Amino acid sequence: MQELLEYLTLKQPQINATLAAETAQLNALVQPVVSHVLTAGGKRLRPLLTLLTAATLGYTDDDIYPLACSVELLHSATLMHDDIIDDAELRRGKPAAHTQFGNTKTVLAGDVLLAQANLVVARYNDTRLTQCIAEAIVKTATGEIEEIEYLRSISHSPETYIDIIKGKTAFLLQASCIMGAVKAGGSEEQIAAASDFGMNLGIAFQIVDDALDFAVSTKSIGKPVAGDLREGKLTPPLFMYLNTLDGTKRRDFVTKFEAGTFSEEEVCFVAEQIRELGLDNATRELADTYLDKAQQALEILPACPEREILLQTLDYVKSRSA
Amino acid sequence: MQELLEYLTLKQPQINATLAAETAQLNALVQPVVSHVLTAGGKRLRPLLTLLTAATLGYTDDDIYPLACSVELLHSATLMHDDIIDDAELRRGKPAAHTQFGNTKTVLAGDVLLAQANLVVARYNDTRLTQCIAEAIVKTATGEIEEIEYLRSISHSPETYIDIIKGKTAFLLQASCIMGAVKAGGSEEQIAAASDFGMNLGIAFQIVDDALDFAVSTKSIGKPVAGDLREGKLTPPLFMYLNTLDGTKRRDFVTKFEAGTFSEEEVCFVAEQIRELGLDNATRELADTYLDKAQQALEILPACPEREILLQTLDYVKSRSA
């Protein structure tokens, strides 16, 4: 992953400068809320994907930076609204925006940011781009509603889980890749390949995230361990764990999962069991099937150093430990 | 206003059918929340403005309906988020969406609707339109943040009040008119005139709304009388009322306004005083200055029956009693 890390180091300053420039255009009252979220870290994966997809198709002009950052603006907007919805206390290890600025300002600043993302893309004068970003928002917000609909449900299928995480995560990564390919003037086949790559990378990214929820300490990811179990989200580790239970144990688990009545000790016990049974690693193997699909999609794009770096993003997702 | 009412009656079915068709494209989980808000009434003023502006410039093709409805979608999205922010119980006399569907679904359905509005506009393949709608959202959400910033403040100027209501109301009406003029292929001068018309109409509309807040009963507008006094919004009737007070009375009013500690009796007393002193009517006179500006802008557009109907919207705003 050497080249990916170098590329990241090389591009991050201009990405951050672009995000700061976009924020500076907003009303002074909105800026602190937006800055709070945008400067909380994050690896700028989404902008990088746009830059890399475009560069793989031969487009490296600097005018792509605002486009690349539009999805990061959008992503930050969804994080702001998510935190209110989840009533989260922390985001990336920092206090969530709403705990500092209140729900009202945070909802509205999220709306501003969401609209600003559209505005940034509109400046490119290409309706394929504006459609792409607007569709990504519709799908992302819809996916989040789906997730909530299936909270504390154990009866939905693994396919429904995949639909949910497409919404939560994959559509924005897909949009990042599509926009890079469109801006680079890619052929329809190349745009479709970029789209497939982003979608499968995004699904894998979220599956690994769901594995990590049981694998690491609060300190390293900035949120409590086994949050999905506490919130009643049936992710692959829990799905697999449920399949190891039968009889009374299963009924007891289902009852508490549906009612949200696990004690702190029970949550820790399940998390330990998942690790001991290797279900977090089995979840990572599930992610691998999507990483393979992403790799296949990549082969349709021209061979070049940037394509190699895109390939390394798959390794990054695969080996992510926080 | 005969022609306006006839035009309204003539166009509303297709406007409502278009809104229903756009809603039908959304995920099944989102539809009930969106329908709840979209079918709660509202005169479809924003879509009408787009239709009328375009028709004044000679464009009457049916393909304008989704464009005309995009601002209504946006408007509904802002209502959904507003109701959460204000913790409102009623909207247009019906239970507010969040009381029926919960905050989470309502925030997310608002996001979906906001993005759907962008998506509808993106289909028209004209970046002037996509920029217009995205800017309108940025400005609207920013204006709402400004309003909150000045809640329970008595020290800001009438100019700040105008800035706030531009954000709350006028930018969306302006966007409706601009989009009609752009879609009709209007000249730059005509687009600017449509823009001025919409802006001044919007300011007047909100000023009249702020007058009505003290002038009518809960039953006829579907929300409690003197809501602005309760919430600490310094609108023209209150600004004028404050100017009639001095000494202890003024200090007492300011203290209670800033602290939000008026009793129900005091609220009713102030509302009665405002009516007795004719300050609601004086507020309507303030609105007239903007209606005059809107009328002047209209004179730049070609004389035709639709321009006459646009002129009648000024009468409608002027004489609005609910």
Side-chain angles (χ1 to χ4, degrees):
Chain A
M1 288 194 288
Q2 190 57 34
E3 288 81 2
L4 173 61
L5 294 175
E6 282 172 18
Y7 193 84
L8 199 76
T9 309
L10 190 69
K11 300 296 182 184
Q12 263 182 352
Q14 196 165 348
I15 290 171
N16 289 332
T18 307
L19 290 169
E22 290 300 334
T23 307
Q25 290 180 30
L26 303 175
N27 182 289
L29 294 171
V30 185
Q31 287 188 34
V33 196
V34 169
S35 292
H36 178 85
V37 177
L38 275 177
T39 59
K43 294 182 187 57
R44 313 303 186 206
L45 174 63
R46 291 159 193 81
L48 277 179
L49 287 175
T50 306
L51 295 177
L52 280 167
T53 311
T56 298
L57 295 169
Y59 191 91
T60 55
D61 281 11
D62 271 3
D63 73 347
I64 201 172
Y65 274 89
L67 184 68
C69 288
S70 67
V71 184
E72 189 76 9
L73 296 175
L74 202 55
H75 174 59
S76 299
T78 64
L79 294 184
M80 288 160 91
H81 285 180
D82 287 356
D83 285 346
I84 292 169
I85 289 165
D86 297 343
D87 207 12
E89 291 294 317
L90 292 176
R91 163 65 65 187
R92 289 168 174 167
K94 275 179 68 173
H98 71 113
T99 65
Q100 192 152 338
F101 301 98
N103 278 355
T104 298
K105 261 199 171 179
T106 308
V107 167
L108 291 171
D111 289 352
V112 169
L113 209 51
L114 214 142
Q116 184 70 11
N118 279 284
L119 196 52
V120 168
V121 175
R123 285 192 218 125
Y124 285 85
N125 234 340
D126 184 334
T127 46
R128 288 175 303 169
L129 297 175
T130 43
Q131 285 206 22
C132 179
I133 192 117
E135 266 172 23
I137 312 174
V138 172
K139 288 175 178 173
T140 302
T142 302
E144 293 187 51
I145 292 185
E146 276 198 298
E147 178 170 57
I148 292 155
E149 196 70 13
Y150 288 106
L151 279 185
R152 310 220 166 279
S153 149
I154 54 110
S155 58
H156 60 284
S157 67
E159 288 72 30
T160 300
Y161 163 76
I162 297 295
D163 278 345
I164 290 169
I165 66 170
K166 278 184 185 174
K168 266 180 84 166
T169 307
F171 285 128
L172 286 192
L173 271 62
Q174 184 186 38
S176 297
C177 296
I178 292 174
M179 294 208 294
V182 167
K183 180 66 186 150
S187 67
E188 284 204 15
E189 194 196 9
Q190 289 170 334
I191 294 169
S195 169
D196 280 354
F197 171 77
M199 171 54 72
N200 286 294
L201 177 71
I203 294 172
F205 185 92
Q206 187 60 48
I207 294 175
V208 171
D209 214 58
D210 291 343
L212 285 172
D213 189 46
F214 290 95
V216 291
S217 73
T218 301
K219 204 176 159 193
S220 62
I221 60 166
K223 55 183 179 181
V225 174
D228 291 338
L229 177 57
R230 294 169 206 268
E231 291 169 33
K233 293 178 186 171
L234 192 68
T235 58
L238 286 169
F239 197 80
M240 293 174 190
Y241 177 68
L242 189 62
N243 284 343
T244 69
L245 303 176
D246 51 21
T248 316
K249 280 188 177 171
R250 185 184 170 92
R251 279 194 297 277
D252 187 47
F253 182 90
V254 169
T255 303
K256 288 182 173 167
F257 187 84
E258 287 177 342
T261 51
F262 288 112
S263 68
E264 185 62 30
E265 277 143 1
E266 285 165 332
V267 168
C268 291
F269 174 77
V270 171
E272 267 169 39
Q273 284 290 298
I274 282 173
R275 285 193 293 267
E276 273 183 29
L277 293 164
L279 301 181
D280 52 340
N281 287 328
T283 298
R284 283 170 175 276
E285 282 164 26
L286 174 64
D288 289 347
T289 61
Y290 293 94
L291 293 172
D292 289 346
K293 286 183 197 171
Q295 184 170 349
Q296 285 161 30
L298 217 46
E299 281 160 18
I300 295 166
L301 302 183
C304 62
E306 286 86 0
R307 197 184 76 170
E308 286 308 300
I309 303 177
L310 280 175
L311 197 59
Q312 289 184 5
T313 63
L314 304 181
D315 292 333
Y316 160 71
V317 169
K318 194 179 168 72
S319 62
R320 206 156 68 97
S321 62
Chain B
M1 287 195 288
Q2 191 56 34
E3 288 82 2
L4 174 60
L5 294 175
E6 282 172 17
Y7 193 83
L8 200 77
T9 310
L10 190 69
K11 301 296 182 183
Q12 263 182 351
Q14 196 166 347
I15 290 171
N16 289 331
T18 307
L19 290 169
E22 290 299 334
T23 307
Q25 289 179 31
L26 303 174
N27 183 289
L29 294 171
V30 184
Q31 286 188 34
V33 196
V34 169
S35 292
H36 178 85
V37 177
L38 275 177
T39 59
K43 295 184 186 55
R44 312 305 185 206
L45 173 63
R46 292 158 193 81
L48 277 179
L49 287 175
T50 306
L51 295 177
L52 280 167
T53 313
T56 298
L57 295 169
Y59 192 91
T60 55
D61 280 11
D62 271 3
D63 73 347
I64 201 171
Y65 275 88
L67 184 69
C69 288
S70 66
V71 184
E72 190 75 9
L73 295 175
L74 202 55
H75 175 59
S76 300
T78 65
L79 294 184
M80 288 160 91
H81 285 180
D82 287 355
D83 284 345
I84 292 168
I85 290 166
D86 298 342
D87 207 11
E89 291 295 316
L90 291 177
R91 163 67 63 187
R92 289 170 174 165
K94 275 179 67 172
H98 71 113
T99 65
Q100 191 152 339
F101 301 98
N103 278 356
T104 298
K105 261 200 171 179
T106 308
V107 167
L108 290 171
D111 289 352
V112 168
L113 209 51
L114 214 141
Q116 185 71 12
N118 279 283
L119 195 52
V120 168
V121 176
R123 285 190 220 128
Y124 285 85
N125 235 339
D126 184 331
T127 47
R128 288 174 304 168
L129 297 175
T130 44
Q131 284 205 24
C132 179
I133 191 118
E135 265 172 24
I137 311 172
V138 171
K139 289 176 177 172
T140 303
T142 302
E144 292 187 51
I145 292 185
E146 276 197 299
E147 177 169 58
I148 292 156
E149 195 71 13
Y150 289 104
L151 277 186
R152 309 217 167 282
S153 150
I154 55 108
S155 58
H156 60 284
S157 67
E159 288 73 29
T160 301
Y161 163 76
I162 296 295
D163 278 346
I164 290 169
I165 67 171
K166 278 184 186 176
K168 265 179 85 164
T169 308
F171 285 128
L172 286 193
L173 270 65
Q174 183 185 40
S176 297
C177 295
I178 292 176
M179 294 207 296
V182 168
K183 180 65 186 154
S187 68
E188 284 203 15
E189 194 196 11
Q190 289 170 334
I191 295 170
S195 168
D196 279 353
F197 171 77
M199 170 55 73
N200 286 295
L201 178 71
I203 294 172
F205 185 91
Q206 186 60 48
I207 293 176
V208 172
D209 213 58
D210 292 343
L212 285 171
D213 189 45
F214 289 95
V216 291
S217 73
T218 301
K219 203 177 161 194
S220 62
I221 61 166
K223 54 183 180 183
V225 173
D228 292 337
L229 177 57
R230 294 168 207 269
E231 292 168 34
K233 294 178 186 169
L234 192 68
T235 58
L238 286 169
F239 196 82
M240 294 173 189
Y241 178 68
L242 188 62
N243 284 343
T244 69
L245 302 177
D246 51 21
T248 317
K249 279 189 179 171
R250 185 183 170 93
R251 279 193 299 277
D252 187 48
F253 182 89
V254 169
T255 304
K256 288 183 174 166
F257 186 84
E258 288 177 342
T261 52
F262 288 110
S263 69
E264 184 61 30
E265 276 143 3
E266 286 165 331
V267 167
C268 291
F269 174 76
V270 172
E272 267 168 40
Q273 284 290 298
I274 283 173
R275 285 192 293 268
E276 274 184 28
L277 293 164
L279 301 181
D280 52 340
N281 286 328
T283 299
R284 284 171 174 275
E285 282 165 24
L286 174 64
D288 288 347
T289 63
Y290 294 94
L291 293 172
D292 289 346
K293 288 184 197 171
Q295 185 171 347
Q296 284 162 31
L298 216 47
E299 281 160 18
I300 296 166
L301 301 183
C304 63
E306 285 85 1
R307 197 184 75 169
E308 286 309 300
I309 303 177
L310 280 175
L311 197 60
Q312 290 185 4
T313 63
L314 304 181
D315 292 331
Y316 160 71
V317 169
K318 196 179 168 71
S319 62
R320 203 155 70 97
S321 62

